[in-house]
Each structure stands twice: as C-alpha cells, then as structure tokens.
Amino acid sequence: MPVSMSQIGRSVRRKDGPDKVRGRVRYTDDIRLPGMLHAALLTSAVAHARIRSIDIEAAAALSGVHGVFTGDHFPFRVGLYLGDKPPLAQEKVRYYGEPVAAVVADDERTALEAVRLISVGYDELPVVRSPREALDHTAPLIHPGMADYVHIPAILPEPGSNVSHRTRIRKGDAEAAFRAADVTVEGEFEFPPGDHVAMEPRVAIAEVRSDGQVVIRTSTQSPYGVRAIMSRCLDIPAGRITIIAGPVGGGFGGKAGIQLEPLAYLLSRSVGGQPVRLANTREQDMVTSPGAPGLQSRVRLAARKDGTITAAQIEFLFDSGGYADYAVNVARAAGYACTGPYNIPNVTADSLSVYTNHPFATAYRGFGHIELSYSIERSLDLLAEELQLDPVELRARNIIRAGHATPSSDVLDENTGDLERCLRRAAAAIEWDAGSRVQVDAHTVRAKGVSCYWKAPAIPTFTDAAATVSFNEDASLNVVTGAVEIGQGIFTGLAQLAAERLGIDTGQVHVVDEVITDRSPHDWTTAASRTLFMAGRAVLSAIDDAVAQIKRVAAAPLRCPEEDLEVHGGRVFIRDVPSQGLPLEEVVLGYVYPNGNAIGGPIIGRGRYIARHLTGIDPDTGQGRPGLEWTLGAEGVEVEVDVRDGRYRVLRCACAMDVGKVINPELARGQVVGAMAMGIGYTTREAFVFDSRERVLNERLRDFKIVRYGEHPRYIVDFVETPQGDGPYDARGLGEQGIVGMPGALASAFSRAVGVQLLRLPITPEYLWSEAHKASGASRSVR
Amino acid sequence: MKRYQGVSEIELHINGRPRRVTIRPGDTLLRTLRETLGLVGTKMGCENGDCGACTVLLDGVPIKSCITLTLDAEGRDVTTIEGLSDSPIQRAFIESYGFQCGFCTPGMILNAHALLQSNPSPGAETVRSWMESNLCRCTGYEPIENAIRMAAGIDSRE
Amino acid sequence: MIAYDVVYVRADSVDEAVTAWQQAHADGLKPAYLSGGTELLTAARENRNRPDVLVDLKRIGALRSVTESEGTLRVGACVTLTEVVEDGRFGLLSRAAGGIADRSVRNSITIGGNVCGMLPYREALLPFLVADGSATVAGPDGTRSETLEQLFSKRLLLKPGELLVSLSVPSALLRAACWYRRRERDARVDYPLLTLCALAAPGGRRMAVSGAFAYPLRDRPAEAALNGNGSPGERAAAFVAGLPNAIRSDMRAGAGYRRALLLRAVEDAIIELEAGS
C-alpha cells in the first residue's frame, strides 16, 4: 500500500474518533470488576485543625460495610518529590477537603451512608491564608516535622519554616545593573489557587492478587510514576505493582504524579485484596485532590531609556496548599524560566513553594509558566507605560534568540524558535497597529493586549520514552508505548510518524491504546508537552530497528547486501532496482522459501529515547541546563468592556507559536485553541473562593465556573516552523503553551480598557467595574 | 397512584428496546444506565446537574440524567449515546475534531442531535442556548460549533 | 443519587398527592413534594435535605398545562421552564424562565419547583409578582386561591402539606409593556447577581427583583418613586433607597456591585419603558 503523500503536516483524522462519538471508549470508571467493592471518603470540614477524636463505630456497624479506616491504619507518608502526605490525615488536617476517613462497602450507597455516620472532633488551629503570610516568622508551622521528610536531592525544603522548596537564580550582577538603570519598575501580583476541572473525575481501582501482585487501574497521566512512587513510599517491590492506564478524560497536569492510587491500594489490602474502587466526587476532585497553585509575586525590572531591559529581581511565592506534591517542582521550573522569553543579562530570582492551609497544588498545564508569564508580562506593561513605549516594540527589543542565555545561563542553540516572527504575527492577527484602545461608544471600549511566552518541559534529566513495534499477517504494525491518551490525540500523532517512516498509510499503524506497566515499555510521564517529541523519537527508533531486521531477513531471498535494500510502501526492495523486492507480509513474520524452509521469525522493533544534555541546577545560583527544548510563542487578544458594569466579551484570541514542524495541523490547532480557552477561564474566573477560615466555598461546578459554549471568541492560530533538529520530523512540544501567555495578554487588554493596571486575578466584571469606577476620576492612560 | 419502596423491578424503553431493571426509588437514571444496564457511554462528571456529561434524551428531549430519577423515565423513551450510530452529528464531530478527551462527547452529541432534530438549521443564538448546557474542558468549543454547523449544512466559513 | 432508602409515590391527582403527604406525615416520616427534582436530588446527594417520602406531582395532568380562560392565564405548577418559554403567551415569564439554569436543566425544572424551592432566587416568580398574580394551592384543608400580595412574603406562605397547583395572571397584563434584565458574575449560566422584571401596568410601573436580596422582592411602597418626577436616574436612586432590605454579598459579588447593577437596571427599565409608552 504505497503512499506518496507525506503523513507529516496532514490532518489525519483521530484514530479514537469512531469510539469517542459512540460513547464506546472505556475510561477507568467504566470498568466494573467482579467482586469490586466501593470506597467513600470523609473529608475535612475545616482547613487547619488537630484531630481530637474520630468515632467510626456506627459506620463500621452498618450492614454491608467491610471496613472503616483512619490515618492510624496507614502509617505512611507519600509524596512525589517530598514525602509529606499521609493517605488519610494523621493527627491533624491541613486543608479543607483533606481525607480523614475511608469506608469500604459492598456498594457505593452503603459506603456513602456509612461516611455520614462517622463523627470527627476537631480542635481548630490558626490558618495560614497566603504564602506571604506563611513566611512571616509568627505564622503557624504547617509541617513541624518537615526535617524528617524524605525528599529527592533536587528539592530543598527549609525545616522550621513553611518553605518546602526554594530555587535561587543568580545570573550576572542584578544589583549593579539596577544602580546603573535609567528606569526601574516594580509590580506585585497575585492570584488564588484553582483547579484543572478535567471532565473525568479521578478514579482508581486497586486489587491485591493472591500472589501479592498489586494491580491498579487508574485515570493517570503517569502510570510509571505511580509504580515508582508507590514502590518507594509504600515499600512494595516495583515488579509487584502493575498499573493499567486506559484513555483519560482530561488531564491538564492534574492526573500526573500520584493521586488516589496509594489509598485505593491500602484499602484493598485492608479488605483482603478484593478490588476496591475509589472514585472522586466532583467536589473531591476539586478540593480533596490537588489543583492549580496560587501565587504571590514581586518583579522589579531595570531598563535603559530605549527599553532595553538590563536586570530583573524576581520573587515567586507559590501557594502549594497543605502539601507539596508537584508544587516544589513547579516553583523550580518557574525559577529557571523566571524572565520569560526575554534576554535579560542580570537576574536575581527566588522561587519558593510555600505551605498554606489551602487545597494542595500539583502540576497544572503550563507548570509554573502561566504564573511567571503573568508576573513578567504585567511588569513589561508597567515598563512600557513608564517609558511611553509601544508594548509590542518593547517586547520585540528584548526577545530572546539563539545565542542568548536563559536565567540558568544555558545558551540557546540553533533549534531556538523565531519569537519575533511569532510576536509580529500575533500582533498583526489582532490588528494591533489599527489601535490598541478604541472607544466604541460612551460606555464601551475595545482594547487589545499582547504577550510572549516560553516553556520547556520541566523534567528530570533522565526523562525517557520507549516503544516496541511488531507486525501482523497483513504487515500492519502494532506500536506499543508508555504514552497515555489524555485527549491530545497522541496515538494519531505517533501513527503518523510511524507511517511516514515506513511510507504507508496511518490506517496500517495500530497504536495500542492502553498502557500496562508490565508489558508496555517505560515512559516517564504523559506531561510537560514532551510526549510526541519523546515517544515519537522512540517510535521512529523502533521502526528503524525493525527496518534493519527486515532488511537482514530479506537480503537472503533477494540475494543482495542488506545495505542495498529499502523498506517503503509495504515492500522491501533493491533500492536501484525497485521492481525486485518482496511484500512485507512475506518477511515480517519470517520468510518461507518455496521448499518450506523458513528464516527470520517475527520482527520486533525496539526503540528508546532519553533526554539529551540535561543537568541539574546549582542550588545557590540555579545555573545549569534544565530545559530540553524551549517552545516560544506570542499571543494577542482583543476584549470589549462595558465600563458601566465591567461586563466584557473576549472578541479575538490569536496565538502564534514556533512549533518546529506541525505534524497534524488540526490536532495542533485543537491543543492551542483548547489551551487558550482554558486561559480565558483562568484569567477571568477560575479561582477558589475562601471563607474567613480558609474553607473553599466554590467546590461545586455550580459555583466554580469554566468557560461555556457561546463565550468563545474568534481563535486565530498561526504556526511558525523553525526546525527542532532533534525532534521527530523537526517537531517540538505544543500542548501546554497556548495557555501560558493568555493571562498576561488578557490582563493587558483589560487594563487598557479600564485605564488602570490590573495586577491580580481573576479579572471579574466586578473587579473591572470597581477599577474603572476608581479610575473614572483620574485621567490615567494605559499604553 | 403508584408507590415504590425498597427494591422493585420496572420496565424502561431504552434505545428502542424494552429493558426490565431492578431499581431503588432513590436511583438516578444515570446510575441505572451505567451501573445496572452497563450503558457506560453516559458519563458521570459532577452528579450535580452542572456539566452535562450525563445528558440523555427523554422522549427526545435532552435532560441531565444525574438529577433525574430512574422512575421519571418509566413509560418514556430513553435515548443514550449507544442508541445513536453514524448520525450526521457523530460524523461531523469526527470530521471537525469536535472532541479531545471525549468525556463530554456523548452528552454533547446527544444534546446537539436533539437540537438538530427539533430545528434542522438553527441560528447561532439557538445553538448557544442549547449547547451551553454542556461543559467541555478540552476543545474551547470552536470545533464543536463547527461540527454542529457542518451537521446542519451551514457553511462554517461565515 | 439518593444513597439512603426513600419511598416514592407517584400521584395521579392533587388529592392523591395531598393524601400521600398527610399519610407520611402522620407516620412520623418527612414527606416532600417532587416535581422536576433537580434541586431536591442535588440536596439529597449531599444530605442537605433528606426527605423520607417523595410525592411526585409530575404526572398529575391538572398541573401540567397552561390555560387561558375568563381573562386569566393559569400556569400549572408542573409545567417545565422550557415549556413556559415556548408557550410564549406571558412574554415576561418566558424571558424570566429562559434565564434560569441551562436549557437541559430547564427541560426538567418546573415552575412550581422553581417558585417553591430553597434557593434564594426563584426567578420564575418575578413576572407573577409584577403582574399582580395569584396562586392556587391545595392542601389538607382543600384548595384556595390567593393573590401573591397575600400569599407571598419572601416566600410562598404555604401551610404544611400544601402544594402549589398553579400561578395565574390577568390576561389583560400579558401584553403590557415589560422589561427584563439578568446579570451574572461572568458566565450566563449561573445564579443571578440581579434579575429585574418590570411591567408598565395601567396604574404605573412595577418592579420585582431577585438576586440582589436573599429572596425575590416586590416592594409596593417603594414603587411610588418609579412613577414620580425627576430623571430616570434620580427615580432609580429613590426606588433603591426606598427598599428596606439589605443587599446581598456573597462569593459571587459584593453588595456594592449588586447595588450598582440594580441602580442601572432600574434606570434603564424606566427609560426603556417610557420610550415604549
């Protein structure tokens, strides 16, 4: 089946489409195992308290209940990087929604009724409301036992404080540059924590088989991470754990790392190993399981009169909530990327992950870069205002390019994207030059904003991927990787890469859509926008390995040296005499001579990839090479605001991104548009609201709003293609990046509309109204 | 007057077929479909009537099955995603890339299908008033809008 | 899902429903009338409301229709919001009902459920308040019809065991000039920060408000300001100042913003109703 058209750059339809539109995809919670029991959780009604008593007697006595468990039953501490979190609260609770007790019962309704019968006595403790408050020396210590926690070397907790990690960046001499500066600006920014709101709530179904094998079906982005962390924290040999990850109903970082799996396992183990289903309610998915971190930040910029930025002093305080989880690494990534995509020679930055009594935070699409981008882009707007410079020109003047050094002093190589082109295109898409602020009528203003962003995968230096390729009788391929389908269409993308390499149709490539850790090859995690890049590299390498084997087998019947052979279009043939060859069907399972003799045997291609040239960063200066490949881009937005009541519409959102090479234009556009939509919600509404005791008030989707149908603006997506030489067919990651610049661009536009620099999120109509109200007296203009 | 207490057996009409099911009065249609009948294409996203992932059709009208008692469906025609195959809206969702993770898709498609059944060429405002009942976190809605326009035969280039 | 054991009674007539309620009550159980069920089911899932017996009214034919006779439009309590919107005879009601929740939930929510619910908004009542509507209720003591002026104060004043049969308005007011506005925190599908229904009746302008207060409100004494002299802005300010009720402040918005929305809505209503007359 030769295919002359390239598979790269084509909008191949999604392989999972027919099942998804018929509701036939089986997500984790669609599985019902024989003998499966159901768990339900009692969660904390307060944000910070000592647990005085737990009475489980009535719950345990309810018919149909197999067991009721509290923190005392499970003396473990689990954590991704820092082992700080008991599966069920021990001694005290540290955030509203923390699991306090669990019931396992025959069915869910019984489990839920039993939970109601548990009573907990709390002695409430003073609450820590923000990272800045947490740093005050009078603040209560949320983890007094921090010194005893186990952690990986890259994480630097500060026992005796509420700081779970601090990344220091010291590049050049910022102090001297500030002394020599023509102008300086300073801004303080903040926003509360929020949530991923993946449509599928998290669920894990765990069982312990009679031979001791732990088998967990879970909605995870990180099956191998779950295996490794469970092994480390719960003392189970890794080979005794099997994680099964089917399609995931949305991840956005919230299903990376470790989630419900340890507790589901402990519950199963406690009831004799029967399968136990532990499924979040939506409310638990919002507050009990981790969400997006909040932030308080401070940025100072020093610049020359012409707008050249000479130095930055930056402080990021990430609100990790009651536990550290991924937030420590989020703070680390935001630290080494702290300046955004600008060439700033002198940088001092401290990026901290700080405990508070908020729901805890994990990876969230953008992984610290939304937060840093918002802080930096707002600061650039302050600088533009101070210098009376056009915000687009100010950005263009300071853009980072190949040869420039990141805050870690890592010099960007030839694979660096063309950010200026992205910025110009994004600005053109919203017609920036036609006016960044237009008064439509007495009360209505249209205003625009731009931002630039960058993001590299925040990954361990040894981040890997692997693939195997085997063949069927029709010479079609089975591709097995450790990548998880979370909506991004990874199996379609991988099929395109494989098909391209073999010169066949993507329909001939079957990508196995379920990861089972004991038979799929290792893959770090489906996160950090690195899966197409790394799993893609592994698949290409596996195909190359298979092709070499095919040639070796075919060389004998074709009576020629292997190196004269070519595999393409479903055939293996002599390169210079293409008519002499064999269909792959006759080779891939072994070649059989006319007399019955056979050679070869089933071809199995093996491929692998591991990140290149990455290093840790210096604990005192942050210098090193933490970023594999930086994806650069720019965004432009236009909003319309009625200044009488702050009601607004987002009219246009443009994103121009240098992705190296577009593998599947529709899938790529879908990632970017989806990310921009999330960015609109992130900027305008998605934030937890707390009462005076830091209990979350909006834990239901009734109250925590995300963008709905009909609110969507016109999306303009534009790809620039500066090849990523080491990417699969020159591609680099693009899954997260579309969200990163949105808060900065939108806040810029809204600020321009109301005539006041808006510094915090979310930007609600009420906030716009109150700021416009304040500004209406003063005649201040925001450029 | 009919009274139900404890466990009872009732007959439902699902996707054109009669199905006898055992229920409790407090069971929601969502739970009965998923847990008793194995029709797991109907998704549980919030169990609070907010997200629309559980949308099914009752006598052709989209409702949220998580806040509907199974008993409310007695004597009425229930259509779940398993009851649609190769409808124009399903084809359009594939062609327009109207989904990513796919979790909201069954509810989204049933709602859009009902819309197009009641109004084969709806205006943008009508589409909005129907489709804002369903949340999607992945797509940003643009490709869903395109899918509906495609299925309705409306030129999507404006 | 209701996790606990609950009894369900499907009534075929109003009498049956009332009797079932009384019987459950007499047995020491907690009965509740059920119509659309959207609010009750969400509350029961979280144990915020745990009735023992659900008396379902939805299949009572008498509650399921909108009828007009003898100069009165009657809306049965179990007519869904979508049906009311599509009926269209009471334009202001169509608009108010169409603003509630989202469409696929409106396909379940009934007028009676919305009006008798526990939520503070109950916006479907506003058009009846401004149109001097009446309510028919049935209960252990039989059926009675009362004006909303008598029967409504922050909520419908139903006696234990009473259920709403219908709401009615004089046909003469169906075509009166009216005005409607609803404002949310950001997304349209949300509880309102403010819903305002205004009607230009022969005797003067009337307004009823939801969202701004902890209950739906029509304040007749304050309405005098709407029909007085002065600019629309001055009259709006006088009207709002005349409302004795505290403006709500909650996680969605502060009282200051709600007040600003209310002032502007009242002013716009006056301007547009005057322009139309």
Side-chain angles (χ1 to χ4, degrees):
Chain A
M1 207 170 305
V3 174
S4 53
M5 204 191 335
S6 170
Q7 300 297 313
I8 304 301
R10 276 181 63 198
S11 289
V12 174
R13 283 198 194 139
R14 292 182 63 117
K15 291 180 98 58
D16 52 2
D19 271 349
K20 281 190 171 167
V21 302
R22 287 172 182 78
R24 287 196 191 158
V25 171
R26 293 292 169 257
Y27 302 89
T28 301
D29 201 30
D30 296 335
I31 311 286
R32 285 285 181 275
L33 296 177
M36 187 170 85
L37 303 176
H38 296 259
L41 297 180
L42 176 70
T43 62
S44 174
V46 295
H48 200 197
R50 197 155 292 288
I51 300 170
R52 189 179 56 240
S53 61
I54 306 183
D55 183 354
I56 62 171
E57 208 174 308
L62 195 65
S63 168
V65 169
H66 288 244
V68 183
F69 306 94
T70 66
D72 293 343
H73 292 94
F74 306 132
F76 298 98
R77 287 192 181 278
V78 180
L80 192 57
Y81 299 112
L82 175 65
D84 62 359
K85 189 176 188 305
L88 293 171
Q90 288 166 13
E91 294 174 27
K92 64 182 215 168
V93 291
R94 296 179 170 88
Y95 69 95
Y96 171 82
E98 179 166 0
V100 173
V103 174
V104 178
D106 285 328
D107 51 43
E108 197 175 342
R109 53 191 295 278
T110 304
L112 289 168
E113 281 298 280
V115 161
R116 243 187 102 243
L117 299 175
I118 302 171
S119 60
V120 183
Y122 296 106
D123 292 325
E124 287 200 56
L125 298 166
V127 287
V128 179
R129 296 185 170 81
S130 73
R132 225 172 263 296
E133 208 177 290
L135 295 183
D136 193 283
H137 68 280
T138 63
L141 283 188
I142 294 171
H143 288 269
M146 196 198 291
D148 301 328
Y149 293 171
V150 177
H151 61 88
I152 65 163
I155 294 309
L156 309 168
E158 299 178 357
S161 78
N162 287 314
V163 176
S164 55
H165 173 72
R166 179 191 303 262
T167 288
R168 282 189 183 79
I169 301 292
R170 302 290 183 268
K171 175 193 174 195
D173 187 345
E175 273 188 40
F178 268 89
R179 282 194 300 273
D182 293 336
V183 291
T184 65
V185 292
E186 177 169 345
E188 283 194 36
F189 313 97
E190 72 176 309
F191 39 94
D195 193 66
H196 310 83
V197 194
M199 296 314 299
E200 176 206 30
R202 297 165 179 93
V203 57
I205 303 166
E207 61 184 302
V208 185
R209 300 211 170 134
S210 305
D211 64 357
Q213 191 72 20
V214 178
V215 181
I216 306 180
R217 288 173 167 75
T218 175
S219 60
T220 182
Q221 297 173 239
S222 189
Y224 301 89
V226 170
R227 182 175 75 183
I229 295 161
M230 288 197 50
S231 172
R232 187 174 72 220
C233 298
L234 301 174
D235 204 23
I236 313 166
R240 303 304 279 162
I241 304 170
T242 303
I243 307 297
I244 303 173
V248 170
F252 314 112
K255 290 167 184 163
I258 188 108
Q259 302 289 334
L260 299 173
E261 301 88 359
L263 182 55
Y265 153 72
L266 291 167
L267 293 174
S268 170
R269 196 186 70 172
S270 304
V271 295
Q274 272 179 272
V276 171
R277 165 182 174 264
L278 177 59
N280 273 348
T281 63
R282 172 56 62 183
E283 293 79 11
Q284 288 165 353
D285 212 57
M286 298 282 287
V287 298
T288 301
S289 288
L295 179 81
Q296 288 178 315
S297 67
R298 189 177 285 147
V299 176
R300 292 183 71 213
L301 296 178
R304 291 202 288 265
K305 275 200 203 71
D306 66 359
T308 305
I309 301 170
T310 54
Q313 290 178 334
I314 296 167
E315 180 189 58
F316 295 140
L317 306 179
F318 281 89
D319 182 348
S320 91
Y323 296 95
D325 201 82
Y326 251 121
V328 286
N329 198 30
V330 168
R332 185 174 175 274
Y336 65 67
C338 63
T339 56
Y342 302 104
N343 179 37
I344 304 181
N346 304 290
V347 181
T348 300
D350 280 76
S351 184
L352 282 69
S353 166
V354 183
Y355 289 124
T356 67
N357 291 119
H358 288 157
F360 72 113
T362 187
Y364 180 93
R365 194 179 207 162
F367 206 77
H369 292 65
I370 310 177
E371 296 89 331
L372 81 85
S373 173
Y374 183 73
S375 307
I376 293 298
E377 294 299 321
R378 293 277 59 221
S379 301
L380 281 175
D381 278 8
L382 297 178
L383 183 61
E385 186 181 50
E386 182 70 29
L387 290 168
Q388 294 291 300
L389 283 176
D390 180 283
V392 171
E393 295 311 318
L394 176 68
R395 284 169 172 79
R397 175 175 293 276
N398 291 286
I399 268 171
I400 200 160
R401 301 167 199 277
H404 290 157
T406 70
S408 294
S409 299
D410 179 25
V411 177
L412 296 182
D413 63 20
E414 293 78 354
N415 290 315
T416 303
D418 185 347
L419 179 54
E420 176 156 11
R421 211 148 132 219
C422 294
L423 174 61
R424 300 290 179 198
R425 288 206 195 171
I430 57 162
E431 297 166 277
W432 174 263
D433 291 337
S436 59
R437 186 181 193 280
V438 177
Q439 193 81 36
V440 178
D441 60 36
H443 316 290
T444 313
V445 181
R446 286 189 178 183
K448 298 166 187 171
V450 294
S451 68
C452 295
Y453 60 83
W454 69 349
K455 185 180 183 300
I459 49 178
T461 58
F462 46 82
T463 298
D464 63 355
T468 64
V469 167
S470 63
F471 292 85
N472 305 308
E473 287 79 355
D474 58 357
S476 65
L477 297 70
N478 310 305
V479 176
V480 182
T481 70
V484 180
E485 170 56 50
I486 58 174
Q488 80 282 48
I490 186 62
F491 299 139
T492 307
L494 292 177
Q496 284 180 254
L497 297 178
E500 176 72 8
R501 198 65 140 207
L502 287 170
I504 57 174
D505 189 85
T506 50
Q508 287 284 94
V509 183
H510 310 292
V511 183
V512 175
D513 63 359
E514 184 175 62
V515 175
I516 306 178
T517 51
D518 60 16
R519 64 209 74 167
S520 314
H522 192 269
D523 181 290
W524 170 68
T525 283
T526 298
S529 310
R530 47 61 74 182
T531 307
L532 187 70
F533 186 117
M534 294 195 186
R537 282 286 304 263
V539 167
L540 291 177
S541 151
I543 298 232
D544 292 345
D545 183 42
V547 163
Q549 295 173 45
I550 289 168
K551 289 177 181 175
R552 205 168 307 142
V553 175
L558 292 174
R559 299 168 208 221
C560 71
E562 289 169 35
E563 54 269 30
D564 286 7
L565 293 175
E566 182 89 17
V567 174
H568 190 87
R571 291 176 72 242
V572 50
F573 52 88
I574 298 174
R575 191 173 296 109
D576 49 313
V577 194
S579 59
Q580 289 189 26
L582 291 167
L584 288 185
E585 289 91 324
E586 294 182 19
V587 182
V588 290
L589 298 177
Y591 178 78
V592 184
Y593 285 96
N595 74 348
N597 291 168
I599 58 167
I603 305 283
I604 299 177
R606 301 166 304 164
R608 57 200 178 166
Y609 176 83
I610 196 157
R612 187 176 82 186
H613 293 169
L614 294 186
T615 73
I617 56 173
D618 186 279
D620 297 319
T621 65
Q623 305 299 285
R625 184 168 198 263
L628 186 67
E629 99 285 9
W630 293 88
T631 302
L632 304 175
E635 298 188 303
V637 301
E638 182 181 27
V639 302
E640 183 177 279
V641 180
D642 183 334
V643 293
R644 289 173 301 178
D645 56 13
R647 291 190 354 133
Y648 64 86
R649 283 191 306 148
V650 180
L651 303 175
R652 282 191 281 193
C653 290
C655 177
M657 194 187 315
D658 196 332
V659 299
K661 177 73 192 171
V662 179
I663 303 297
N664 183 317
E666 286 288 349
L667 289 185
R669 182 187 164 86
Q671 286 297 298
V672 178
V673 167
M676 285 198 279
M678 244 176 133
I680 295 172
Y682 188 97
T683 308
T684 60
R685 66 201 73 170
E686 292 177 24
F688 286 136
V689 180
F690 299 96
D691 70 3
S692 61
R693 289 151 66 201
E694 300 307 289
R695 292 176 300 186
V696 177
L697 294 173
N698 54 344
E699 64 194 304
R700 299 178 188 88
L701 285 181
R702 187 77 53 93
D703 304 317
F704 188 105
K705 294 294 179 180
I706 65 171
V707 169
R708 279 193 189 252
Y709 188 101
E711 286 187 83
H712 48 292
R714 194 151 73 81
Y715 289 110
I716 305 148
V717 178
D718 190 5
F719 292 119
V720 173
E721 296 185 323
T722 306
Q724 180 73 34
D726 56 341
Y729 294 101
D730 299 334
R732 63 175 73 89
L734 59 81
E736 299 166 276
Q737 281 79 359
I739 193 174
V740 172
M742 287 298 286
L746 282 166
S748 182
F750 283 127
S751 297
R752 207 158 275 121
V754 298
V756 177
Q757 294 289 6
L758 305 171
L759 305 181
R760 64 179 162 88
L761 300 179
I763 299 175
T764 61
E766 182 178 13
Y767 181 31
L768 288 169
W769 165 80
S770 71
E771 293 298 319
H773 222 59
K774 282 187 225 158
S776 60
S779 63
R780 191 150 164 239
S781 83
V782 172
R783 283 182 64 97
Chain B
M1 188 167 81
K2 253 180 153 172
R3 191 167 191 280
Y4 295 86
Q5 182 168 14
V7 173
S8 353
E9 195 181 66
I10 63 167
E11 185 170 290
L12 297 176
H13 286 265
I14 300 180
N15 300 327
R17 292 166 51 97
R19 296 288 300 264
R20 294 201 70 78
V21 288
T22 302
I23 59 124
R24 290 171 177 274
D27 289 348
T28 55
L29 183 56
L30 169 65
R31 295 280 188 162
T32 298
L33 291 171
R34 284 181 59 81
E35 296 170 9
T36 310
L37 293 165
L39 294 170
V40 295
T42 307
K43 298 299 177 209
M44 184 155 75
C46 70
E47 240 190 340
N48 202 52
D50 298 325
C51 78
C54 68
T55 302
V56 301
L57 309 185
L58 264 191
D59 292 335
V61 175
I63 53 100
K64 288 176 170 134
S65 64
C66 72
I67 47 173
T68 302
L69 291 177
T70 306
L71 283 164
D72 285 340
E74 204 182 5
R76 302 169 73 181
D77 286 326
V78 181
T79 306
T80 71
I81 192 66
E82 289 86 354
L84 286 193
S85 64
D86 210 30
S87 63
I89 189 68
Q90 285 168 304
R91 290 198 298 271
F93 260 69
I94 292 176
E95 286 183 37
S96 303
Y97 296 79
F99 58 88
Q100 287 179 25
C101 84
F103 201 80
C104 75
T105 310
M108 202 65 90
I109 283 181
L110 283 167
N111 194 15
H113 178 76
L115 163 63
L116 295 174
Q117 293 287 303
S118 86
N119 186 346
S121 50
E125 184 51 29
T126 302
V127 175
R128 184 196 60 76
S129 74
W130 281 65
M131 298 311 296
E132 69 183 5
S133 300
N134 296 61
L135 294 178
C136 169
R137 189 56 158 168
C138 297
T139 66
Y141 304 104
E142 180 192 66
I144 293 172
E145 180 178 25
N146 292 342
I148 292 167
R149 295 169 73 97
M150 181 184 288
I154 303 166
D155 187 345
S156 62
R157 284 162 300 179
E158 313 245 330
Chain C
M1 178 177 63
I2 300 177
Y4 62 91
D5 283 317
V6 66
V7 176
Y8 171 96
V9 177
R10 182 181 292 145
D12 295 319
S13 70
V14 169
D15 285 350
E16 269 185 18
V18 171
T19 304
W21 193 97
Q22 281 178 290
Q23 183 61 54
H25 190 66
D27 293 344
L29 299 171
K30 183 181 171 191
Y33 290 120
L34 173 75
S35 53
T38 60
E39 194 177 313
L40 195 145
L41 274 165
T42 53
R45 177 177 67 88
E46 297 187 324
N47 296 306
R48 285 182 282 122
N49 185 9
R50 281 173 68 98
D52 302 305
V53 179
L54 302 177
V55 181
D56 190 355
L57 310 176
K58 276 191 303 295
R59 303 211 187 187
I60 301 175
L63 306 185
R64 288 281 301 122
S65 60
V66 183
T67 56
E68 193 170 3
S69 64
E70 293 165 8
T72 300
L73 182 84
R74 277 192 182 73
V75 182
C78 289
V79 175
T80 69
L81 297 185
T82 300
E83 287 164 345
V84 166
V85 170
E86 289 175 353
D87 179 84
R89 273 176 282 184
F90 188 7
L92 189 56
L93 177 61
S94 293
R95 295 178 68 185
I100 296 166
D102 62 50
R103 194 180 200 283
S104 68
V105 177
R106 289 195 296 273
N107 290 337
S108 296
I109 300 178
T110 62
I111 283 282
N114 179 263
V115 163
C116 300
M118 297 186 295
L119 290 165
Y121 311 104
R122 292 168 267 145
E123 295 160 83
L125 195 58
L126 302 181
F128 293 99
L129 288 175
V130 291
D132 285 340
S134 307
T136 300
V137 298
D141 301 334
T143 301
R144 61 185 173 125
S145 291
E146 308 257 12
T147 63
L148 288 175
E149 192 174 6
Q150 293 167 306
L151 197 65
F152 176 80
S153 171
K154 299 186 180 176
R155 56 174 54 254
L156 279 186
L157 306 173
L158 300 182
K159 297 177 199 155
E162 277 190 330
L163 63 88
L164 181 69
V165 173
S166 65
L167 290 166
S168 53
V169 286
S171 297
L173 286 177
L174 294 179
R175 276 160 293 280
C178 63
W179 194 88
Y180 167 81
R181 173 177 289 169
R182 189 178 197 273
R183 288 290 184 256
E184 303 82 20
R185 177 181 183 262
D186 32 48
R188 216 203 53 69
V189 179
D190 197 357
Y191 294 127
L193 302 184
L194 172 78
T195 302
L196 188 136
C197 286
L199 193 81
R205 279 176 287 275
R206 307 154 173 187
M207 292 189 189
V209 176
S210 228
F213 306 102
Y215 37 80
L217 178 71
R218 180 181 169 202
D219 189 294
R220 287 162 198 267
E223 281 173 359
L226 299 173
N227 302 303
N229 297 318
S231 71
E234 288 162 357
R235 279 183 276 163
F239 171 73
V240 172
L243 299 174
N245 315 68
I247 293 186
R248 225 169 125 75
S249 188
D250 62 13
M251 69 167 138
R252 283 183 168 73
Y257 186 55
R258 279 194 166 90
R259 174 180 295 275
L261 292 177
L262 175 60
L263 279 167
R264 215 190 114 204
V266 174
E267 181 181 352
D268 287 350
I270 294 170
I271 292 169
E272 288 176 41
L273 285 175
E274 277 180 0
S277 63

